[in-house]
């Protein structure tokens, strides 16, 4: 047991920090601040391609797939630093769908898409949820039926985030309508190009100013090798993808930076009586609580990355990371918002906005994370069942 | 970054778990509770024979020669069984500083006897109104090459049963660390009753003569040495809290699977499962922050922030898990014929010892303000 980075990993962190200092030009920061967490602008895409060209996106991917051949830990370090830098990195494409796709897609699609993922050229949006299938994902109704050497997909998906920037969609559809078959055993995964005929989308605007989408599949036809993995074998890919997603969602990078920024602000800002904000005991307590929670989150993330490296990622730990991380974020935004006080509710477009209005925006978006990516109640069920061997609840 | 235990660590953990599970049974704990002192002398001897008391003591001095990580894993197992053995005061707070800072003579005099179980030793880390042993109120003044120590220490575990007490005292030149003989002239011990019934004492010292040979650390380095002792003791208490809270949580999960109400096991209720799941996350956070602190200390790196953070988690996790365990057990949780009650007492004692969450949050906050605790 040695819970320290190796000298090589420390060097990598330093290198990345210097790299992002250069990459994040004021113009790029301005552009990405307009669409928080989303990207999609011209400078965003330029930076994405640069990340790809410089070999960062695939730092922990195997060399034969075009990566640098380092481990999941180095991959995690990269993502932590990209998030710390405030770049809206499409981690679901690269960290979550990407590796599952690389392991399961047909050779032609793998050859087509993996270089584009590692090159920073595409975004893949995830089509799981439907109007009637959220937490109970296995009840999804979108169908795919085989016609000749094509699959024909019909249905509607909800909360297809980033679909308006996406080149491809990762879509779960029912391939076995037999009511005798368990519902999660009749689902398959498909890769749908956003240019496919019959595919369309409409925007859903959310409280946090983040746009998401409803996507529609009206007799969308894709070649047969767009099926990923086996027919009716989609569920395992969905759960592994979600386990990976749960780690990416709670990556400590951007939150560590937020903590440091608020700390710096509290040092640089004076109250009317001439004392600094950070000299107030209640401010120090709030920051200490935030720091204590962050430290645990950091270790949860590193342990997960290490588990993936040695091939032991367990479902209870993925769920525990998701629940702890997302509930801590809500608390963190409050603790840090309290430090800013009244200014913490000034919108980024307002006169007097502090730290680009980030905390004002974050507490509005935070309400998504405790249910998004698998609601926390179900995650707690998983922890109790897989981590503490308690009975599977009847539903 | 390596989160796995190596072969040695697994062996120490396995040996400790096996012995403590076999020997610190509920029947045995009940019998020990009838004694005046909560101490299982036979078990202590058996642990010595298995080599566990010397796990972090040099091989040349009768130990196994492993590091702080192995010792912490042993302490965790003691927490898991709430065994009545003073591993933290003897092996962590006292043996480690003797080994690290003591003269060759001092080491030879004490460490083999500690490893063999022949001698108990302890450390006096608390004073009334002062929980930082690096800034003691007790005083020492020179008498030739010897010292005369005066002052009052409180909540000293096993003081009467020990052959030496590690004491810090201030002099005009700084803090000294010495070994005081509890039977020496001028020492008065008064029994204190702690919540776990671990034997505690108030130690009043009045011009107690400490021979030069019993000085562990001289005045120029004593404060730093006591910070060293404090951090390792805190980390060890965190390790013990892992054992205590992990076991309480697992007892609770098992109980909830057995206990039937309304015709079903209460463990099938989502409300019960979710409270247990919250315990699971708390225990994970305690484990990870503690192992990080232990690992850094074992490497000899600065771990001031990491130890404080681990101890905050030990306080919070201990508190939340023990009350959840008590609550979900219903009446069984408070029945002295069932063993959960002991875990609750230990969780509380560890929570309140050598830095509570509130005080450590204040300390950490000061360090953040001083630019010493960035989120790297």
């Amino acid at each position: 047991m040695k819970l320290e980075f190796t000298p090589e990993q420390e060097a990598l962190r330093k290198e990345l920090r210097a790299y992002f200092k250069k990459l994040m030009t004021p113009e790029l920061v301005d552009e990405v601040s307009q669409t928080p967490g989303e990207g999609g602008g011209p400078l965003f895409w330029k930076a994405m391609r640069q990340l790809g060209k410089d070999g960062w996106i695939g730092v922990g991917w195997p060399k034969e797939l075009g990566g640098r051949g380092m481990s999941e830990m180095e991959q995690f370090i990269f993502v932590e630093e990209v998030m710390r830098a405030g770049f809206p990195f499409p981690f679901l494409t690269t960290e979550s769908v990407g590796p599952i796709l690389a392991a399961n897609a047909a050779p032609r699609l793998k050859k087509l898409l993996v270089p584009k993922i590692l090159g920073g050229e595409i975004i893949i949006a995830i089509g799981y949820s439907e109007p009637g299938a959220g937490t109970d994902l296995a009840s999804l109704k979108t169908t795919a039926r085989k016609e000749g050497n094509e699959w024909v997909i019909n249905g509607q998906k909800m909360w297809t985030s980033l679909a308006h920037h996406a080149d491809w969609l990762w879509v779960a559809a029912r391939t076995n309508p037999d009511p005798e078959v368990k519902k999660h055993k009749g689902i398959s995964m498909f890769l749908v190009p956003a240019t496919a005929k019959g595919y369309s989308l409409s925007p859903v605007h959310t409280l946090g100013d983040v746009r998401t989408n409803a996507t529609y599949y009206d007799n969308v036809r894709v070649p047969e090798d767009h099926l990923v993995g086996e027919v009716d074998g989609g569920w395992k890919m969905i759960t592994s993808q979600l386990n990976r997603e749960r780690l990416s969602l709670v990556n400590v990078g951007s939150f560590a930076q937020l903590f440091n920024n608020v700390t710096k602000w509290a040092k640089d800002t004076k109250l009317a009586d001439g004392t600094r904000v950070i000299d107030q005991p209640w401010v120090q307590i709030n920051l200490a609580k935030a720091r204590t929670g962050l430290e645990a989150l950091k270790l949860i993330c590193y342990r997960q990355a290490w588990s993936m490296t040695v091939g032991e990622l367990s479902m209870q730990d993925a769920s525990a990371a998701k629940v702890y991380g997302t509930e801590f974020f809500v608390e963190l935004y409050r603790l840090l918002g309290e430090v800013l006080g009244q200014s913490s509710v000034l919108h980024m477009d307002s006169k007097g906005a502090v730290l680009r209005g980030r905390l004002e925006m974050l507490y509005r978006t935070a309400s998504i994370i405790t249910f998004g990516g698998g609601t926390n109640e179900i995650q707690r069920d998983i922890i109790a069942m897989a981590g503490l061997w308690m009975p599977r609840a009847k539903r | 970054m390596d989160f796995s235990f190596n072969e040695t660590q697994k062996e120490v953990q396995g040996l400790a778990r096996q012995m403590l599970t076999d020997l610190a049974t509920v029947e045995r704990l009940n019998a020990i509770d009838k004694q005046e002192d909560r101490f299982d002398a036979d078990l202590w001897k058996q642990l010595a024979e298995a080599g566990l008391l010397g796990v972090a003591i040099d091989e040349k001095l009768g130990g196994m020669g492993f590091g702080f990580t192995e010792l912490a894993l042993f302490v965790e197992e003691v927490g898991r069984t709430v065994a009545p053995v003073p591993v933290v005061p003897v092996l962590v707070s006292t043996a480690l500083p003797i080994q690290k800072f003591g003269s060759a003579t001092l080491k030879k005099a004490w460490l083999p006897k500690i490893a063999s179980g022949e001698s108990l030793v302890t450390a006096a880390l608390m004073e009334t109104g002062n929980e930082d042993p690096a800034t003691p109120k007790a005083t020492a003044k020179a008498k030739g090459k010897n010292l005369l120590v005066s002052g009052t220490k409180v909540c000293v575990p096993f003081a009467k049963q020990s052959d030496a007490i590690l004491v810090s005292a201030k002099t005009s030149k700084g803090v000294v660390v010495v070994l005081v003989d509890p039977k020496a002239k001028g020492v008065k011990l008064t029994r204190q009753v702690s919540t776990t019934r671990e034997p505690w004492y108030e130690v009043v010292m009045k011009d107690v003569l400490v021979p030069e040979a019993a000085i562990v650390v001289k005045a120029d380095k004593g404060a730093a040495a006591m910070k060293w002792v404090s951090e390792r003791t805190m980390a060890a208490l965190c390790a013990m809290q892992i054992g205590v809270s992990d076991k309480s949580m697992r007892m609770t999960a098992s109980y909830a699977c057995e206990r039937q109400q309304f015709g079903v096991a209460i463990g099938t209720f989502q409300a019960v499962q979710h409270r247990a799941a919250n315990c699971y996350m708390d225990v994970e956070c305690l484990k990870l922050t503690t192992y990080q602190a232990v690992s850094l200390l074992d490497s000899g790196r600065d771990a001031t922030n990491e130890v404080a953070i681990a101890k905050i988690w030990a306080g919070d996790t201990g508190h939340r898990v023990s009350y959840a365990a008590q609550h979900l057990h219903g009446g069984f949780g408070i029945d002295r014929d069932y063993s959960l009650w002991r875990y609750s007492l230990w969780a509380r004692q560890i929570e309140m010892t050598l830095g509570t969450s509130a005080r450590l949050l204040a300390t950490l906050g000061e360090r953040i303000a001083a630019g010493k605790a960035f989120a790297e």
Side-chain angles (χ1 to χ4, degrees), chain B residues 124-344:
Chain B
L125 303 178
M126 294 285 151
E127 294 176 346
T128 302
N130 174 32
E131 298 189 354
D132 179 8
T135 56
K137 290 187 291 181
T139 58
K141 58 184 186 215
K143 192 185 184 204
K145 287 187 169 181
N146 305 326
L147 291 171
L148 290 176
V149 175
S150 298
T152 300
K153 305 281 177 178
V154 295
C155 305
V156 182
F158 288 84
K160 193 176 174 189
Q161 295 79 1
S162 291
D163 296 322
I165 307 173
L166 187 91
V167 166
S168 61
K170 67 177 175 195
T171 71
S172 54
K173 291 175 194 149
V175 173
V176 287
V177 184
V178 300
L179 291 179
V180 168
D181 177 356
K183 292 178 195 74
K185 203 175 149 219
V187 179
K188 189 175 168 239
L189 305 178
T190 308
R191 181 69 185 257
Q192 294 182 296
V193 183
S194 78
T195 191
T196 61
R197 305 264 161 174
E198 181 180 50
W200 281 9
Y201 294 84
E202 179 198 58
V203 179
V204 179
M205 298 166 291
K206 210 171 162 196
D207 288 330
V208 177
L209 182 74
V210 174
E212 190 194 6
I215 299 174
V216 185
V217 189
K218 290 199 176 125
D220 54 337
K221 295 204 174 81
M226 287 317 289
K227 178 176 186 278
W228 192 96
V229 173
S230 233
E231 287 181 351
R232 276 151 188 82
T233 306
M234 286 164 79
L237 288 170
C238 295
M240 187 172 263
Q241 193 78 310
I242 294 176
V244 169
S245 51
D246 189 63
K247 179 70 181 186
S248 311
M249 168 180 80
R250 290 186 187 281
M251 283 169 78
T252 304
S254 305
Y255 175 80
C257 294
E258 305 277 316
R259 170 75 175 170
Q260 302 256 333
Q261 287 288 276
F262 307 104
V264 291
I266 61 169
T268 58
F269 298 137
Q270 214 173 20
V272 172
Q273 292 196 352
H274 287 192
R275 195 138 187 214
N278 287 349
C279 294
Y280 184 90
M281 289 181 282
D282 267 338
V283 172
E284 282 302 297
C285 291
L286 171 60
K287 274 186 192 172
L288 289 166
T289 51
T290 299
Y291 291 156
Q292 172 178 249
V294 167
S295 169
L296 289 173
L297 291 173
D298 204 0
S299 303
R301 302 218 356 203
D302 176 65
T304 315
N305 296 329
E306 289 79 4
V307 169
I309 287 170
K311 187 64 176 52
I312 293 167
W313 275 105
D316 294 356
T317 295
H319 169 76
R320 289 193 289 252
V321 171
S322 81
Y323 279 93
Q326 288 284 324
H327 173 79
L328 293 175
H329 270 89
F332 273 88
I334 50 173
D335 182 347
R336 283 191 190 252
D337 286 335
Y338 183 85
S339 62
L340 186 75
W341 63 274
R342 288 193 183 88
Y343 290 87
S344 308

Side-chain angles (χ1 to χ4, degrees), chain B residues 32 64 118 376:
Chain B
I32 296 294
M64 296 210 272
E118 193 186 328
E376 284 301 327

